[in-house]
mmCIF file of all heavy atoms in Angstrom:
data_model
loop_
_atom_site.group_PDB
_atom_site.id
_atom_site.type_symbol
_atom_site.label_atom_id
_atom_site.label_comp_id
_atom_site.label_asym_id
_atom_site.label_seq_id
_atom_site.Cartn_x
_atom_site.Cartn_y
_atom_site.Cartn_z
ATOM 1 N N ARG P 350 134.449 -71.683 65.439
ATOM 2 C CA ARG P 350 134.186 -71.894 66.856
ATOM 3 C C ARG P 350 134.804 -73.227 67.311
ATOM 4 O O ARG P 350 135.438 -73.322 68.352
ATOM 5 C CB ARG P 350 132.674 -71.911 67.091
ATOM 6 C CG ARG P 350 132.239 -71.575 68.484
ATOM 7 C CD ARG P 350 130.798 -71.066 68.500
ATOM 8 N NE ARG P 350 129.890 -71.843 67.674
ATOM 9 C CZ ARG P 350 129.144 -71.332 66.692
ATOM 10 N NH1 ARG P 350 129.183 -70.050 66.431
ATOM 11 N NH2 ARG P 350 128.343 -72.107 66.000
ATOM 12 N N LEU P 351 134.625 -74.235 66.480
ATOM 13 C CA LEU P 351 135.165 -75.553 66.807
ATOM 14 C C LEU P 351 136.684 -75.506 66.871
ATOM 15 O O LEU P 351 137.308 -76.050 67.786
ATOM 16 C CB LEU P 351 134.733 -76.547 65.727
ATOM 17 C CG LEU P 351 133.655 -77.610 65.988
ATOM 18 C CD1 LEU P 351 132.975 -77.448 67.349
ATOM 19 C CD2 LEU P 351 132.630 -77.615 64.881
ATOM 20 N N ARG P 352 137.257 -74.843 65.889
ATOM 21 C CA ARG P 352 138.716 -74.737 65.871
ATOM 22 C C ARG P 352 139.196 -73.989 67.106
ATOM 23 O O ARG P 352 140.211 -74.351 67.715
ATOM 24 C CB ARG P 352 139.185 -74.012 64.613
ATOM 25 C CG ARG P 352 140.690 -74.024 64.455
ATOM 26 C CD ARG P 352 141.137 -73.131 63.312
ATOM 27 N NE ARG P 352 142.570 -73.198 63.128
ATOM 28 C CZ ARG P 352 143.461 -72.622 63.927
ATOM 29 N NH1 ARG P 352 143.052 -71.950 64.988
ATOM 30 N NH2 ARG P 352 144.753 -72.749 63.692
ATOM 31 N N ALA P 353 138.448 -72.957 67.481
ATOM 32 C CA ALA P 353 138.831 -72.195 68.669
ATOM 33 C C ALA P 353 138.771 -73.079 69.906
ATOM 34 O O ALA P 353 139.607 -72.964 70.813
ATOM 35 C CB ALA P 353 137.901 -70.987 68.834
ATOM 36 N N ARG P 354 137.795 -73.969 69.943
ATOM 37 C CA ARG P 354 137.698 -74.870 71.092
ATOM 38 C C ARG P 354 138.915 -75.791 71.147
ATOM 39 O O ARG P 354 139.469 -76.054 72.209
ATOM 40 C CB ARG P 354 136.415 -75.693 70.999
ATOM 41 C CG ARG P 354 136.079 -76.373 72.296
ATOM 42 C CD ARG P 354 135.003 -77.412 72.145
ATOM 43 N NE ARG P 354 133.780 -76.867 71.578
ATOM 44 C CZ ARG P 354 132.775 -77.619 71.142
ATOM 45 N NH1 ARG P 354 132.879 -78.945 71.198
ATOM 46 N NH2 ARG P 354 131.694 -77.066 70.637
ATOM 47 N N TRP P 355 139.319 -76.263 69.991
ATOM 48 C CA TRP P 355 140.522 -77.106 69.943
ATOM 49 C C TRP P 355 141.735 -76.306 70.407
ATOM 50 O O TRP P 355 142.568 -76.805 71.161
ATOM 51 C CB TRP P 355 140.754 -77.629 68.521
ATOM 52 C CG TRP P 355 139.870 -78.787 68.148
ATOM 53 C CD1 TRP P 355 138.549 -78.922 68.424
ATOM 54 C CD2 TRP P 355 140.254 -79.971 67.434
ATOM 55 N NE1 TRP P 355 138.081 -80.102 67.923
ATOM 56 C CE2 TRP P 355 139.098 -80.775 67.306
ATOM 57 C CE3 TRP P 355 141.453 -80.430 66.879
ATOM 58 C CZ2 TRP P 355 139.108 -82.013 66.652
ATOM 59 C CZ3 TRP P 355 141.464 -81.651 66.221
ATOM 60 C CH2 TRP P 355 140.295 -82.434 66.120
ATOM 61 N N ALA P 356 141.813 -75.072 69.937
ATOM 62 C CA ALA P 356 142.955 -74.238 70.300
ATOM 63 C C ALA P 356 142.978 -73.979 71.800
ATOM 64 O O ALA P 356 144.045 -73.929 72.427
ATOM 65 C CB ALA P 356 142.898 -72.914 69.536
ATOM 66 N N GLU P 357 141.798 -73.862 72.356
ATOM 67 C CA GLU P 357 141.712 -73.619 73.792
ATOM 68 C C GLU P 357 142.158 -74.854 74.568
ATOM 69 O O GLU P 357 142.856 -74.746 75.577
ATOM 70 C CB GLU P 357 140.262 -73.276 74.135
ATOM 71 C CG GLU P 357 140.073 -72.671 75.514
ATOM 72 C CD GLU P 357 138.591 -72.451 75.794
ATOM 73 O OE1 GLU P 357 137.820 -72.345 74.814
ATOM 74 O OE2 GLU P 357 138.223 -72.415 76.982
ATOM 75 N N ALA P 358 141.762 -76.004 74.076
ATOM 76 C CA ALA P 358 142.069 -77.243 74.794
ATOM 77 C C ALA P 358 143.519 -77.677 74.588
ATOM 78 O O ALA P 358 144.153 -78.197 75.504
ATOM 79 C CB ALA P 358 141.122 -78.353 74.345
ATOM 80 N N LEU P 359 144.034 -77.461 73.398
ATOM 81 C CA LEU P 359 145.348 -78.012 73.070
ATOM 82 C C LEU P 359 146.440 -76.944 73.057
ATOM 83 O O LEU P 359 147.627 -77.269 73.145
ATOM 84 C CB LEU P 359 145.309 -78.672 71.688
ATOM 85 C CG LEU P 359 144.256 -79.765 71.464
ATOM 86 C CD1 LEU P 359 144.219 -80.150 69.997
ATOM 87 C CD2 LEU P 359 144.551 -80.973 72.337
ATOM 88 N N GLY P 360 146.013 -75.734 72.901
ATOM 89 C CA GLY P 360 146.976 -74.667 72.688
ATOM 90 C C GLY P 360 146.945 -74.276 71.219
ATOM 91 O O GLY P 360 146.947 -75.134 70.348
ATOM 92 N N ALA P 361 146.946 -72.973 70.993
ATOM 93 C CA ALA P 361 146.830 -72.488 69.613
ATOM 94 C C ALA P 361 147.980 -72.982 68.755
ATOM 95 O O ALA P 361 147.819 -73.309 67.581
ATOM 96 C CB ALA P 361 146.779 -70.961 69.600
ATOM 97 N N ASP P 362 149.141 -73.080 69.373
ATOM 98 C CA ASP P 362 150.314 -73.496 68.605
ATOM 99 C C ASP P 362 150.212 -74.955 68.167
ATOM 100 O O ASP P 362 150.640 -75.319 67.080
ATOM 101 C CB ASP P 362 151.580 -73.278 69.442
ATOM 102 C CG ASP P 362 151.459 -73.907 70.821
ATOM 103 O OD1 ASP P 362 150.325 -73.942 71.363
ATOM 104 O OD2 ASP P 362 152.474 -74.386 71.360
#
Side-chain angles (χ1 to χ4, degrees):
Chain P
R350 203 157 44 236
L351 253 7
R352 187 188 183 285
R354 195 192 303 168
W355 282 42
E357 194 184 337
L359 304 171
D362 51 327

